[in-house]
Amino acid sequence: MSVVVLGSANLDVVIALQRIPSPGETVLTDTISRGCGGKGANQAVAVARSGAPTTFLGAVGNDDAGRMLLDGLAGAGADVSAVRRTDGSSGTAYVMVDAQGENAIVVIGGANAGYTDLTEAEADIIRRADVLLMQFEVPIETVTAAASIARAAGVQVMLNAAPYAELPADLLENLDLLIVNEHEAALSAGTQGTPEEVATVILGSVPGVLITLGAAGSLLATRGTEPVRINAPHVTAVDTTGAGDTFSGAYAAATVEGLPAVERLRFASAAAALAVQERGAVDAIPDRARIDEALR
Ligand code: ADP
C-alpha cells in the first residue's frame, strides 16, 4: 500500500529580520538558513515519516539545491528515483521572518514551473499507487492530468488545494478528497458559514472534503456519511509553517494503512500538533515513533 506525492520541491532560504523592509529600504541581518521545502516535498516527507511507502514525483534543477532536495527526501525515506533533474535552477522560496513571526515570501518556480507534462513512466508510477496526493505548486495542467490517470486506474486522489486556485471541472470530477484550511474551504465553497455548512456545499462537487481548522481541529465530510469532527491536541505552537502539509501527508499515510475515519484524523492531528511545536518546515515533521508516542 503506497502513496505517490506529486508536487513541488523548493530550496527554502529563510532570512530572519527585526522587521521586513518596506519598498526602497535596506535592512541588514546575518541570520540566514537553508533547508528543504515546497509543499510537495513537505508532504512527501510527512507521508514517509508516518511510515507509508512513499514515492515523490516532481522536478528539481541541476544545481546544488536539487541535490540537497533529493538527499532530504531520500533521507526521510521517500523514493526519489523518478524525480526529474532539469537544466536550470531548482524552485526557491525566499522567506523573510520578522521578530513577531510575521513573514513575507517570494517563490521562484524554477524546475517546478517546468513540470508541465507527464511521461509514460511517471503515469505508470501513479497507476501503481493506492493514494495520489497533490497540491498546487506545480502547473495545474499536470495536477489535472495526474488526477485523470489515477482515477482511471482506481487510485484514490487527494488534493490539498493550496496555494488556493480555482478548481477546473475536469480536475474536480477526478478527486476523491479535497483537503483545505478554513480560508481555502470558504473560497472553494464560494460561501462563509460553519465548517459543517461549508463542507456540505463542497460535497456538491467532490465526494469528500477534509477541512483543517488550525488549533480548533479538523472536520472530515464524505457523501452519504455523518461528518466527523475532532479537536486538535492542546499544545503551545511556536511555528505553524507546514502544519497543513504535515496533516495532509500523515492523513494520506493513515489512509493507506486502512485506519477508520476518526483514527485517520487523530493520527494526522497528532503529527501536525508535534510539527507546530518546533521551528522550521521539514525539520519539524515528526516520525512514526513520535506520533505513536503522542497518541498513547
Ligand atoms: P494550514 O497550515 O494549511 O493553514 P491549519 O492552520 O488548519 O492549516 O493547520 C493544519 C492542522 O494542523 C490543523 O487541523 C491542526 O490539526 C494542526 N494545527 C495547526 N495549528 C495548531 C495548533 N496551534 N495547535 C494544535 N494543532 C494545530
Side-chain angles (χ1 to χ4, degrees):
M1 299 302 263
S2 69
V3 179
V4 167
V5 180
L6 183 152
S8 59
N10 286 331
L11 170 71
D12 279 351
V13 180
V14 182
I15 305 156
L17 298 155
Q18 239 356 79
R19 62 193 173 75
I20 293 166
S22 310
E25 193 185 5
T26 301
V27 174
L28 296 180
T29 184
D30 51 13
T31 321
I32 183 163
S33 63
R34 291 179 167 74
C36 285
K39 296 189 73 63
N42 291 345
Q43 294 188 14
V45 167
V47 179
R49 290 206 183 131
S50 294
T54 313
T55 299
F56 180 67
L57 289 181
V60 299
N62 214 348
D63 51 6
D64 288 346
R67 170 64 33 220
M68 193 192 99
L69 289 164
L70 291 177
D71 287 350
L73 281 156
D79 182 340
V80 294
S81 55
V83 177
R84 290 189 209 166
R85 292 208 77 183
T86 53
D87 286 341
S89 313
S90 294
T92 308
Y94 292 94
V95 185
M96 287 184 279
V97 185
D98 72 13
Q100 280 72 48
E102 283 296 326
N103 61 33
I105 304 175
V106 178
V107 177
I108 299 165
N112 301 306
Y115 197 66
T116 50
D117 53 352
L118 292 169
T119 63
E120 199 41 43
E122 288 160 343
D124 271 338
I125 290 171
I126 292 170
R127 290 187 191 105
R128 286 198 296 272
D130 296 287
V131 166
L132 172 67
L133 174 62
M134 302 186 285
Q135 322 75 30
F136 273 149
E137 279 185 352
V138 291
I140 198 161
E141 301 78 19
T142 312
V143 171
T144 304
S148 149
I149 291 163
R151 168 53 66 93
V155 177
Q156 228 187 107
V157 182
M158 300 183 180
L159 174 72
N160 175 212
Y164 182 76
E166 210 156 304
L167 290 113
D170 56 347
L171 173 56
L172 267 177
E173 69 187 13
N174 290 320
L175 296 183
D176 293 289
L177 184 71
L178 184 67
I179 307 175
V180 279
N181 65 19
E182 257 185 307
H183 171 68
E184 294 147 2
L187 290 171
S188 309
T191 174
Q192 306 278 341
T194 65
E196 284 79 3
E197 286 164 355
V198 170
T200 304
V201 175
I202 295 173
L203 285 186
S205 39
V206 277
V209 59
L210 173 44
I211 305 180
T212 63
L213 306 165
S218 50
L219 170 84
L220 175 69
T222 39
R223 280 184 195 152
T225 59
E226 278 297 302
V228 184
R229 184 169 177 168
I230 71 160
N231 292 321
H234 284 289
V235 297
T236 306
V238 297
D239 180 1
T240 58
T241 317
D245 290 338
T246 302
F247 191 99
S248 299
Y251 184 86
T255 303
V256 294
E257 215 168 286
L259 298 184
V262 70
E263 302 302 323
R264 298 198 291 272
L265 289 182
R266 283 214 183 96
F267 185 87
S269 301
L274 287 165
V276 302
Q277 292 175 76
E278 281 179 38
R279 282 189 202 289
V282 156
D283 290 346
I285 299 172
D287 64 14
R288 179 61 182 252
R290 292 186 57 215
I291 303 170
D292 283 344
E293 194 185 302
L295 284 167
R296 268 202 290 275

